[in-house]
Structure formats: C-alpha cells, structure tokens
Amino acid sequence: MTNTIDDTSIRHTPADLPSKIQHYIGGKFVDSIDGDTFDVLDPVSNEVYLQAAAGKISDIDRAVEAAQKAFKDGPWPRMLPRERSRILHRIADIVESRDARLAELESFDSGLPITQALGQARRAAENFRFFADLIVAQADDTYKVPGRQINYVNRTPIGVAGLITPWNTPFMLESWKLGPALATGNTVVLKPAEFTPLSASLWAGIFEEAGLPEGVFNLVNGLGEDAGDALVKHPDVPLISFTGESSTGQLIFGNAAPYLKGLSMELGGKSPVIVFADADLEAAVDATIFGVFSLNGERCTAGSRILVERSIYDEFVERYAAQAKRVKVGYPHDPATEVGALVHPEHYDKVMSYIEIGKTEARLVAGGGRAEGFDQGNFVTPTVFADVSPDARIFQEEIFGPVVAITPFDTDDEALELANGVKYGLAAYVWTNDLKRSHNFAQAIDAGMVWLNSNNVRDLRTPFGGVKASGLGHEGGYRSIDFYTQQQAVHITLGEVHNPTFGKADSAKH
Ligand code: NAD
C-alpha cells in the first residue's frame, strides 16, 4: 500500500503546535524589527507549518545588547558556582520531565525517529547536569615556587557567547553549547538552524521556569547569512561556538578574524570504520549499520566509509547489505521506525544526487533511492555501495544521509592510508581483537575521536572535536570550561622582590 500524507492514522501532528516562532530577547518574545519571517516545513509533507521570525543585523544588535547588559549589571556572572549549578540542575529536571513532548516536537520538525529524538532529549538534560556538576567540582591551578612566589589562576567568564547550531540534532546540540557557556557565567545569544527552529523556542520557557536571570539567554532565529553572519561580525561577541559544515566554518573563521574572536568549530566528517578479519563480525555489522543509519545518517560522527579486510570482505558485504535492507524506514513518530524523513527537501535532493553519483562510481548493493511506499516527504532507503574506490566522490565527500561506502583492503598500511585519505578527521572506529594492532592503529589515525570495538558511545569528560577539516579546538569536560572562560595568571611575590635595578643612584656618574 502506498502511504499518503492525508492518512492521519500514520501521519502525526503534535497538538498545540505554534503557528509562529519569535525571537527571545531580554526576557521577552519579540518579532523581527523589520517584521520579516521565513517558512518552516515539516519533513513528512514538506508543507509550511509555521513562520519563524527572520533575524537581521538589528535583531542581533538588540540581543547582544541585552546579553551584554545581563553580563555587566546582572547577577549571573557573579553568582557562586553552586548557585548557578542549582539552576542548571533545575533546567535538567525540567527537560527530563518533558522529554516525551520535546521528542514529539523535535521528531515532527526534524524527521528524526521518535525513539532517537527521545534519546537526544535525555542527552540534552544530561549535558546540563554534567556541566552543573563540573562547575562545582572545578579547581584551578595554584603553583608554589618555594620561598619566592605563589601563582594562581583567576578564572572568569568572558562575556557574550555567540552559539550557532545545525539542524541534525537541534535541541541536544544547543544544550551541548548552552550548558558550559551558562555554567561558566557567560551570557549567550543562540542562533539555531533555520530548518529546525521549533525545539529551540522551548528553551526560553524552560529557563524562565528554572530561574535563569533575564537577559542571560537570548535567541535570534534567522538565516545563516543574515542572523548568523551578524552574530559572527558583532564586535561585542568575543566568542563563537559553531557546529555545522566545514565550508561554513571556513567562512566564519574568515569573518571572525578581524575581531580576533575565540572560536570553537565542530565541523563535518567522513569517518572511517576499519573492520579487520579477526573482528567479532556480528557486533561489527550491527555497530556499522547503526553507526551510519541512526539519526537518518544525519550524524557528524557517522561511520560512512567502511574499510573491510579482503579475506572477510565478500561475507561482510553480503551480511551488511542484507541487514541494511531490513532497516525500517517509516514515519518519524512511529516507535518502530529506524530511519525517518530527512530534514528538508533541499537536503533530500543533495543526498539523492549523491546516490545517483554513487551508482556511476560503485556497486549498489542495497537501497538506492526514494523509500518505497512514501510518495511525499524526504524518505530515503538505507543505501549501500560496495567496491568504492578511494577517489570516488562518495568516498571523499560528506553526504550526511543514510548512505555508506564499503571498500576492501589487504594490509594494515593500506587500511591506514585509506582511513586517512580524506580531508576530514572527526571520528574513526576500529574492529579487531588484536590488542596491539588496535591501539597502534587507533593512534595512527588522523581523527579527533576513535572507538575500538564500539559504536559512538560518548563519555562527556573526554575531548570532543575533530582534526583537519573536521574542526578547530575541543569541547567536552574541562575543555569546554576552558573555552568559555578567561584564565588570568596572578603572581604573588613572597620573598625578596626580584628586581634588577636599572639606573641605580650610586652608579650614576654626574
Ligand atoms: P550549516 O553549516 O549549513 O549551518 C549550521 C549553522 O550555521 C546554521 O545555524 C546556519 O544558519 C548557520 N550559518 C550558515 N551560514 C552562516 C554564516 N555565513 N555565518 C554564520 N552562521 C551561518 O550546517 P548544517 O547543514 O546545519 O549542519 C550539517 C553539518 O554540521 C554537517 O557538515 C555535519 O557534519 C556538521 N555537524 C558537525 C558536528 C560536530 O560536532 N562536529 C555535529 C553536528 C553536525
């Protein structure tokens, strides 16, 4: 049977959807100064379901002014870490208590499967809880130079942090920046992705309820080239934390350069999975299926290139293709759905064009186009290409959808060359039971994060970030605290003043 969007038994629209989304500036919901709005579509029907305020330079100016006022005159930067921590824990409690509603809205707006959106909502709460705990446990360095000096670090918040986020897991990624930026006492202006502004509009209510002082959190919706660009170029925003495409990161890097801003860049990826012949094949197949098809394949750390040792290659490809064909594409709200709808028709077109390119470059062994039974919306079948050569575009370029490239290798050296032979370096996954090889191989990979015999399971204390075109700087644990704070070194002399005297009176000759 062919599903159509009029079939209300399968298509779900959340109750009480807003019809418009405003900015949130200085504790108030406001329209854009010029009244402009942009359309927001739902990915199942691609119909416009709401209008969001389209922020421009003047709206960013207003938001930065409010954030600056809260930073200069408000209580937030001056509160004890424990006091801020209490509010952050309350935020986590509220997010947790509304996880079902958050997931419902996120899934509707982004096309993410509901079960995975629920997991992301819980992760968002955990991000707040983690930084709430960390800021209280935070210790700073003090150094003693015996008999001469004590030196200590005076850590302070920096000011107004500009946070710019993508659409793939909107609410969770916003929390990954909001948590540490707020925990450390900064005030913020958030510019969420224009494809998915719905869940971001909930932060204001959550923060008000948790007791965050007015002006500490500000939200400006809008297009990247307008609102995002204005935030990057605002002279009173000393920090930009950005997650998005590498090409956007490059642009932002250039635009922020004249202001010498602090930048944290979490960018694109084309992460390799290396499966050696001695690996636990069943676990490796399960992990690599999940690794590229979860979150609709719209995952920065997706293992989208699978390199398989030649002796198990044919068996791996066969098992992988068979399992990929069983992955359930469905409506985002259906708990049985494993791959939902891609976020937006523009992104759907991009992913589909890569699938067509792949058909000319490699052997298609599963999927290969629009999911059967879905006439409308952005539904793509999990797609698997085998025998992909390393110079193929589907091997080199980030597709950011449910599409994977499988390539054989003969030796460890060849596997390493293939793994490192792309411009990206975000994550890597290695499957082998050889202890020595796993560590040596992992350490030789150009990637910010490596998992051995594991899927992407995060420990929030570890550094998160990429190398090469995948990013600049690391967040995670204390590294996030470092990014969002100034560390002033204060030096105290205990002994005699170390003072080589220039121009001594008794040496002066008149
Ligand atoms: P994108 O770069 O198109 O947009 C990201 C954000 O930047 C959006 O809010 C957008 O409005 C804004 N923006 C666009 N142009 C701008 C400009 N000139 N100045 C300022 N802001 C601007 O990325 P996307 O398509 O939303 O997200 C997908 C990308 O994000 C993928 O490449 C993915 O790998 C990457 N990503 C990386 C991570 C990570 O942690 N490394 C996590 C998630 C997603």
Side-chain angles (χ1 to χ4, degrees), residues 426-430 438 441-443 445 447-452:
L426 190 57
Y429 308 84
V430 183
S438 64
F441 199 91
Q443 291 177 24
I445 295 183
M449 296 164 284
V450 183
W451 278 269
L452 302 180

Side-chain angles (χ1 to χ4, degrees), residues 342-363:
L342 300 190
V343 68
H344 192 275
E346 268 174 34
H347 186 59
Y348 173 85
D349 289 345
K350 174 184 155 181
V351 172
M352 285 302 228
S353 78
Y354 273 108
I355 291 176
E356 291 312 309
I357 291 167
K359 288 177 185 170
T360 68
E361 292 181 323
R363 178 164 62 101

Side-chain angles (χ1 to χ4, degrees), residues 163-169 172-173 176-177 191-196 222-233 240 242-249 251-252 255 265-270 297-302 343 347 350 398-400 424 426 449 464-466 469-471:
L163 313 178
I164 303 178
T165 49
W167 46 257
N168 60 322
T169 49
M172 192 286 283
L173 281 173
W176 179 241
K177 298 185 190 303
K191 206 304 278 174
E194 55 268 43
F195 284 174
T196 53
L223 306 186
E225 56 268 34
D226 297 330
D229 187 62
L231 190 56
V232 168
K233 292 176 180 163
I240 296 287
F242 169 77
T243 300
E245 283 188 18
S246 300
S247 55
T248 316
L251 194 64
I252 290 178
N255 288 339
M265 299 257 174
E266 301 192 343
L267 309 177
K270 189 76 183 180
E298 299 161 327
R299 180 182 209 129
C300 55
T301 52
V343 68
H347 186 59
K350 174 184 155 181
E398 184 183 43
I399 300 172
F400 217 55
Y424 297 105
L426 190 57
M449 296 164 284
F464 185 94
S470 289

Side-chain angles (χ1 to χ4, degrees), residues 112-388:
L112 287 177
I114 185 75
T115 51
Q116 297 170 35
L118 189 64
Q120 297 297 318
R122 290 177 185 157
R123 250 295 293 286
E126 183 54 28
N127 284 341
F128 271 93
R129 225 176 265 305
F130 175 80
F131 286 108
D133 289 341
L134 198 65
I135 198 69
V136 174
Q138 164 78 30
D140 278 309
D141 298 338
T142 306
Y143 303 94
K144 186 169 90 169
V145 185
R148 294 189 185 172
Q149 262 187 332
I150 285 181
N151 307 318
Y152 69 90
V153 171
N154 169 37
R155 191 186 287 270
T156 50
I158 295 178
V160 179
L163 313 178
I164 303 178
T165 49
W167 46 257
N168 60 322
T169 49
F171 195 75
M172 192 286 283
L173 281 173
E174 289 149 20
S175 74
W176 179 241
K177 298 185 190 303
L178 287 166
L182 295 175
T184 44
N186 297 283
T187 60
V188 305
V189 177
L190 170 67
K191 206 304 278 174
E194 55 268 43
F195 284 174
T196 53
L198 183 59
S199 55
S201 70
L202 303 177
W203 285 120
I206 292 169
F207 289 156
E208 277 179 18
E209 205 175 318
L212 192 74
E214 199 176 283
V216 172
F217 167 76
N218 302 276
L219 168 80
V220 178
N221 288 291
L223 306 186
E225 56 268 34
D226 297 330
D229 187 62
L231 190 56
V232 168
K233 292 176 180 163
H234 199 296
D236 298 327
V237 177
L239 285 181
I240 296 287
S241 177
F242 169 77
T243 300
E245 283 188 18
S246 300
S247 55
T248 316
Q250 281 175 309
L251 194 64
I252 290 178
F253 196 89
N255 288 339
Y259 306 95
L260 297 172
K261 295 193 179 203
L263 291 176
S264 172
M265 299 257 174
E266 301 192 343
L267 309 177
K270 189 76 183 180
S271 300
V273 187
I274 302 92
V275 186
F276 287 98
D278 68 337
D280 174 343
L281 204 57
E282 189 167 332
V285 170
D286 272 351
T288 47
I289 289 271
F290 179 82
V292 73
F293 299 129
S294 56
L295 305 179
N296 299 341
E298 299 161 327
R299 180 182 209 129
C300 55
T301 52
S304 51
R305 293 182 296 138
I306 309 179
L307 314 175
V308 184
E309 194 165 355
R310 179 99 50 194
S311 59
I312 57 159
Y313 182 74
D314 289 340
E315 186 191 349
F316 184 93
V317 170
E318 198 178 309
R319 283 173 71 162
Y320 195 91
Q323 191 157 331
K325 286 177 190 162
R326 295 195 298 270
V327 170
K328 191 177 176 337
V329 179
Y331 286 97
H333 80 280
D334 180 349
T337 293
E338 291 167 332
V339 171
L342 300 190
V343 68
H344 192 275
E346 268 174 34
H347 186 59
Y348 173 85
D349 289 345
K350 174 184 155 181
V351 172
M352 285 302 228
S353 78
Y354 273 108
I355 291 176
E356 291 312 309
I357 291 167
K359 288 177 185 170
T360 68
E361 292 181 323
R363 178 164 62 101
L364 179 70
V365 292
R370 171 172 275 282
E372 218 175 292
F374 297 89
D375 295 340
Q376 284 153 295
N378 310 317
F379 295 94
V380 176
T381 355
T383 296
V384 184
F385 289 103
D387 310 345
V388 182

